[in-house]
Amino acid sequence: MTSSKRRAGATFAEIAAAGATSHTTVRRVLVAAFPHLLGKGRNAIPRDVGDLVARAFKGKALDQSAGRLLGEDPAAVLEAAEALAELARRRIAEQQGGPVAA
């Protein structure tokens, strides 16, 4: 997502475009995960949050159920993300012919 000098915050449409998803899906996930950010104006989503959300959508790592879980139990999401990151590191090492960590 490119930064805008006109606005401090990101719009649902900008996040959706960068994340290759729909405006509606972005809105639903943000309502579930970050309700405190909504209702404060049209561009109330901080750009850094918008960038992270877009990257997660683009990587197919975020959907409505994950957004709901992020809002309800962020520690569980963090634990799952760390496990997924470790699995990805092992898979990359395997693909590159390097040692696979035990």
Side-chain angles (χ1 to χ4, degrees):
M1 203 165 72
T2 60
S3 65
S4 171
K5 293 181 181 179
R6 296 179 296 135
R7 296 185 302 249
T11 66
F12 294 153
E14 290 170 334
I15 296 168
T21 191
S22 73
H23 170 280
T24 302
T25 300
V26 169
R27 182 180 50 78
R28 287 179 180 161
V29 166
L30 289 174
V31 165
F34 300 103
H36 63 282
L37 294 177
L38 306 175
K40 294 182 179 179
R42 186 170 180 270
N43 302 313
I45 308 302
R47 285 227 169 255
D48 61 333
V49 173
D51 288 340
L52 292 170
V53 169
R55 287 172 48 200
F57 273 121
K58 193 161 188 154
K60 306 287 189 233
L62 187 59
D63 60 14
Q64 290 179 31
S65 62
R68 193 174 319 104
L69 184 58
L70 183 58
E72 295 169 0
D73 191 356
V77 174
L78 180 59
E79 184 176 338
E82 289 170 345
L84 189 57
E86 179 59 28
L87 290 170
R89 281 190 284 278
R90 291 179 185 201
R91 182 64 181 127
I92 290 168
E94 187 178 274
Q95 286 176 332
Q96 294 175 345
V100 178

